[in-house]
């Protein structure tokens, strides 16, 4: 008799939280698959950014948000939350992740 294997899910999207639990303009830290990630709800958009500053690795979740810019608490580097770009030098980028909203739930994709 042939052994039946359980079906493996290939869905790259990872459920993170409910949209209603993400207040506007308030960075929230999550750890999908152990990866530190900030979710930020601004207007109709939800952005997902790495929590690790590319300068020296400080936690951006402790930074300050000013409009579309989050500032690192360690040395004040400023990143555009919509693109991940360092404001003063756009070639330096914070890692960003794709997000999607579905039925009031927020999902992220770790791969590009
Ligand atoms: S570690 Fe973020 S600015 Fe230095």
């Amino acid at each position: 008799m042939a052994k039946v294997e359980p079906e493996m899910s290939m869905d790259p999207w990872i459920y993170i939280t409910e949209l209603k639990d993400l207040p506007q303009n308030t960075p929230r830290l999550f750890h999908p698959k152990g990866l530190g990630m900030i979710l930020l709800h601004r207007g109709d958009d939800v952005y997902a950014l790495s929590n690790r500053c590319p300068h020296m690795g400080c936690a951006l979740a402790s930074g300050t948000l000013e409009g579309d810019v989050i500032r690192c608490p360690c040395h004040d580097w400023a990143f555009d939350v919509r693109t991940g770009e360092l404001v003063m030098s756009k070639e330096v980028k914070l890692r960003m992740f794709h997000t999607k909203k579905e039925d009031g739930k927020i999902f992220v994709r770790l791969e590009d």
Side-chain angles (χ1 to χ4, degrees), residues 53-60 72-79:
C53 179
H55 180 218
M56 294 179 72
C58 283
L60 288 169
C72 181
C74 291
H75 313 100
D76 212 33
W77 281 23
F79 300 90

Side-chain angles (χ1 to χ4, degrees), residues 14-16 28-39 51 59 61 108 110:
I14 301 170
Y15 168 74
I16 304 294
R28 285 278 171 86
L29 181 61
F30 296 91
H31 293 91
K33 296 195 173 183
L35 192 67
M37 176 186 295
I38 300 169
L39 258 61
N51 185 41
V108 300
L110 301 186

Side-chain angles (χ1 to χ4, degrees), residues 18-67:
E18 302 290 315
L19 183 61
K20 66 177 174 47
D21 295 332
L22 270 185
Q24 288 276 340
N25 303 313
T26 307
R28 285 278 171 86
L29 181 61
F30 296 91
H31 293 91
K33 296 195 173 183
L35 192 67
M37 176 186 295
I38 300 169
L39 258 61
L40 179 61
H41 186 189
R42 279 184 59 75
D44 288 336
D45 297 313
V46 175
Y47 303 104
L49 313 94
S50 171
N51 185 41
R52 185 177 164 83
C53 179
H55 180 218
M56 294 179 72
C58 283
L60 288 169
S62 304
T64 53
L65 183 69
E66 301 162 2

